[in-house]
């Protein structure tokens, strides 16, 4: 069991990443909401899909070159494919919440625009937690510390877990 000191240190190291991710996420969320609001007349689910495609590309660029700028760079195609794939899962979470509102609860674009935006916000929260975990675990790999992580990084499915196995637990006093 990690000590409180080790947990505090881990959170201290994680804070800049969370902050950068949050700033990018907040900007993209505002843009997503604007695009969704403007495109709502064509249908809530279609508007959500359009907003996701636009903001996904912007989020990739911002996260690659700011949040995860010090992480190892793998092939652009690999990173963007994984990034876009995890964003598709996030889109399913977000659009699924909207679809539940529309088809499950009978919300209409004409009469329930504010309710759609509230449902969208709830879906964004759930999808954001998923995306943060997926990006740091599978997309933007941690830089090698002692050379062994590079071997693990080749196994894409477990690459994000390499940092956990590389950390030596601090002895308890």
């Amino acid at each position: 069991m990690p000590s409180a000191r080790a947990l505090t240190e881990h959170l201290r190291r994680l804070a800049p990443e969370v902050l950068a991710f949050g700033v990018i996420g907040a900007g993209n969320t505002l843009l997503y909401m604007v695009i969704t609001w403007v495109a709502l007349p064509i249908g809530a689910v279609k508007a959500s899909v359009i907003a996701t495609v636009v903001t996904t590309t912007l989020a990739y660029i911002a996260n690659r070159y700011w949040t995860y700028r010090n992480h190892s760079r793998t092939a652009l195609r690999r990173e963007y494919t994984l990034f876009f794939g995890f964003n598709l899962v996030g889109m399913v979470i977000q659009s699924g919440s909207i679809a539940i509102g529309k088809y499950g609860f009978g919300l209409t674009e004409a009469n329930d625009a504010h309710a759609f935006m509230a449902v969208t916000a709830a879906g964004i929260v759930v999808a954001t937690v998923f995306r943060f975990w997926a990006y740091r675990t599978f997309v933007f790999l941690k830089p090698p510390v002692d050379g062994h992580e590079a071997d693990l990084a080749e196994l894409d499915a477990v690459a994000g877990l390499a940092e956990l196995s590389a950390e030596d637990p601090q002895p308890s006093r």
Side-chain angles (χ1 to χ4, degrees):
M1 183 101 182
S3 68
R5 180 180 294 156
L7 179 60
T8 302
E9 179 61 24
H10 180 71
L11 291 175
R12 187 189 64 74
R13 285 184 310 216
L14 189 62
E17 184 179 327
V18 170
L19 180 63
F21 184 84
V23 168
I24 292 165
N28 268 326
T29 298
L30 288 174
L31 180 59
Y32 177 91
M33 297 296 254
V34 167
I35 293 169
T36 301
W37 183 261
V38 169
L40 202 55
I42 67 169
V45 176
K46 290 177 191 170
S48 173
V49 171
I50 291 168
T52 298
V53 170
V54 170
T55 57
T56 294
T57 300
L58 294 175
Y60 172 77
I61 293 166
N63 278 297
R64 165 43 51 217
Y65 294 103
W66 185 31
T67 308
Y68 300 105
R69 69 185 172 275
N70 296 324
H71 286 216
S72 298
R73 293 190 185 198
T74 58
L76 175 65
R77 185 180 323 165
R78 177 205 165 275
E79 274 186 3
Y80 189 74
T81 300
L82 285 173
F83 189 90
F84 201 85
F86 287 122
N87 271 283
L88 287 177
V89 174
M91 180 181 70
V92 168
I93 293 168
Q94 288 173 219
S95 298
S97 66
I98 293 170
I100 289 169
K102 181 174 183 166
Y103 303 112
F105 293 103
L107 299 177
T108 64
E109 291 84 356
N111 299 326
D112 303 306
H114 291 97
F116 270 121
M117 298 313 285
V119 169
T120 298
I124 287 171
V125 168
V126 174
T128 297
V129 171
F130 167 77
R131 286 178 177 126
F132 181 76
W133 169 80
Y135 295 167
R136 74 182 322 268
T137 303
F138 299 106
V139 180
F140 302 111
L141 307 178
K142 298 292 279 183
V145 176
D146 63 2
H148 296 290
E149 292 84 0
D151 297 333
L152 289 173
E154 292 176 13
L155 306 171
D156 284 343
V158 296
L161 302 175
E163 73 176 271
L164 296 176
S165 64
E167 291 180 10
D168 292 328
Q170 298 295 325
S172 301
R173 294 181 194 198

